[in-house]
Amino acid sequence: MSGPCYSVCIEPHGRSLTVAAGEPVLQAALAAGLNLPHSCKSGHCGSCRSRLIAGEIHYPNGLPLGITAEEARRGQILLCQARPRSDLTVEARLIAGVAAVEIKTLPCRIARLTPLAADVLEVLLQLPAVEQLRFQPGQYLDVLLEGGRRRSFSIACPPHDAARLELHVRRVPGGGFTERLFGAGADALTTGSLLRIEAPMGQFTYRDGAGPIIMVGGGTGFAPLKSMLRHVLETGIRREIHFYWGARHRSDLYEEARMLSWAADAHRQLRFIAVLSEGPAAQAPHHRTGWVHEAVLADHPDLSPFEVYAAGPPAMIEAMRASFPRHGLPLERLYFDSFDYAPDAAPDGAPDSPAPAPPALLS
């Protein structure tokens, strides 16, 4: 990476790292093994909000949506978009419980590619026999691409069944990596193709507890929740789970049959509701129409007994963050993973090609 480099000190931990002028501070911190708070990596969700103690930063695309002008005046910054213009001192917190997990860079091969829906592919990755990846349910991995680019995907399998790492990959128009996975071009990726990954990443993880849980997935946000759900169901944890999966059409509920089977086998531990935003009227008893967060509130006007795990596009997460506290849910019990479907990110944060418009609430 060309251009000057700067020293960035992360307080109160006293950790220092070198960040290139055009590199997001968060990207450099994750590469250095610092598991700082983050989620969407696109400046929408505000999860990586930190305080700038000293130094100067800039945002290449202007003030991100996830931070207000007033917050910026008070010295708050979004690490996923902030680039240094000088040496920096930043106040940020490490994530308890996952900070000690070793982040590894590993080779792997594509073991199997299975279509789940018209635009969603199940990708199974096989690690070398001598390697094991320790992760927590809900975490994700980065696929490392040429030229320093990387793509992030949630791990859909639980840690106890990770002989092959399961990913759910949505095809993104203009996304070089996903187009190759779906067989486009002479450099298409197929069974046996070699990849390099960095994992585990992220702080969206299952927390031990005994109270009831609500899980809310939007589109392929189902993947990290599947990892958590299987962890609970298959390791003997007894917790009441209400699982809501939002999508545009029924065809987007690519593992609906499996969810119904798990709900039937779980002896009232699991309740499954599918919420369709653009489909016809309810086609089955477990179907609803509308927005997924509104379906949750219709069923549970008092959220105070629950922990909520949510994964999906920023609009869905923001709707929940705005409305759920008004129904008794403390924000510290709303755990979320917010992400955009965007083309492969280059090292300076610019996409290979123009990013698509933000997805609809339940895409």
Side-chain angles (χ1 to χ4, degrees):
M1 187 176 293
S2 59
C5 293
Y6 299 104
S7 175
V8 176
C9 180
I10 307 294
E11 296 292 359
H13 316 286
R15 299 286 298 273
S16 294
L17 56 145
T18 299
V19 183
E23 182 180 18
V25 175
L26 175 66
Q27 179 174 296
L30 294 176
L34 294 176
N35 200 4
L36 299 179
H38 68 281
S39 187
C40 72
K41 293 185 177 178
S42 61
H44 289 132
C45 71
S47 299
C48 64
R49 186 182 286 107
S50 301
R51 187 168 71 92
L52 181 63
I53 298 174
E56 182 182 358
I57 60 97
H58 74 104
Y59 299 114
N61 299 312
L63 191 68
L65 295 176
I67 191 169
T68 67
E70 176 59 29
E71 289 171 333
R73 282 193 292 271
R74 295 201 303 265
Q76 296 187 32
I77 61 174
L78 295 188
L79 296 181
C80 72
Q81 299 300 305
R83 276 70 164 171
R85 278 185 169 157
S86 68
D87 291 343
L88 305 178
T89 301
V90 174
E91 183 180 59
R93 59 189 178 90
L94 294 177
I95 302 300
V98 297
V101 175
E102 180 184 3
I103 299 175
K104 296 182 177 181
T105 301
L106 299 169
C108 62
R109 291 192 181 275
I110 297 177
R112 193 173 74 197
L113 298 171
T114 305
L116 297 175
D119 60 347
V120 179
L121 198 63
E122 178 192 73
V123 180
L124 296 185
L125 301 180
Q126 182 73 56
L127 296 175
V130 296
E131 292 287 356
Q132 286 188 332
L133 181 66
R134 292 180 58 245
F135 65 95
Q136 296 190 31
Q139 289 190 292
Y140 70 92
L141 60 80
D142 277 355
V143 176
L144 306 180
L145 306 173
E146 300 84 358
R149 291 185 293 269
R150 56 177 65 210
R151 287 286 280 124
S152 301
F153 300 99
S154 296
I155 303 172
C157 56
H160 67 266
D161 186 22
R164 291 180 172 181
L165 299 176
E166 177 185 345
L167 312 179
H168 298 173
V169 179
R170 182 181 296 278
R171 188 173 193 168
V172 179
F177 177 70
T178 62
E179 295 283 13
R180 291 172 64 194
L181 275 176
F182 278 79
D187 60 347
L189 294 165
T190 60
T191 300
S193 294
L194 184 65
L195 299 174
R196 290 176 63 246
I197 64 171
E198 190 170 88
M201 311 285 280
Q203 76 279 0
F204 181 61
T205 62
Y206 171 77
R207 275 79 166 171
D208 290 329
I213 294 173
I214 293 173
M215 294 185 177
V216 186
T220 51
F222 173 76
L225 299 176
K226 179 182 179 182
S227 175
M228 296 182 186
L229 180 62
R230 288 190 58 197
H231 170 74
V232 173
L233 295 180
E234 297 173 14
T235 59
I237 299 171
R238 301 300 303 174
R239 298 186 73 176
E240 177 186 317
I241 301 174
H242 302 260
F243 196 111
Y244 292 78
W245 190 359
R248 287 192 173 101
H249 307 283
R250 188 171 186 177
S251 59
D252 298 321
L253 303 171
Y254 52 82
E255 290 201 336
E256 180 180 26
R258 180 169 294 184
M259 284 297 305
L260 290 172
S261 174
W262 285 340
D265 293 341
H267 304 294
R268 301 182 182 273
Q269 182 180 357
L270 171 64
R271 176 173 177 258
F272 172 54
I273 298 295
V275 186
L276 304 177
S277 64
E278 297 180 12
Q283 305 169 48
H286 65 283
H287 281 183
R288 306 282 180 78
T289 56
W291 301 127
V292 68
H293 73 284
E294 292 179 349
V296 173
L297 294 177
D299 289 348
H300 307 284
D302 179 10
L303 293 174
S304 59
F306 294 96
E307 292 180 2
V308 176
Y309 293 84
M316 185 191 88
I317 300 300
E318 285 308 307
M320 295 171 64
R321 293 180 69 191
S323 60
F324 281 20
R326 296 199 298 268
H327 290 260
L329 180 74
L331 272 177
E332 62 268 20
R333 294 212 306 269
L334 173 59
Y335 312 117
F336 63 89
D337 191 8
S338 173
F339 53 85
D340 283 331
Y341 306 116
D344 308 328
D348 62 358
D352 284 345
S353 56
L361 188 62
L362 300 177
S363 65

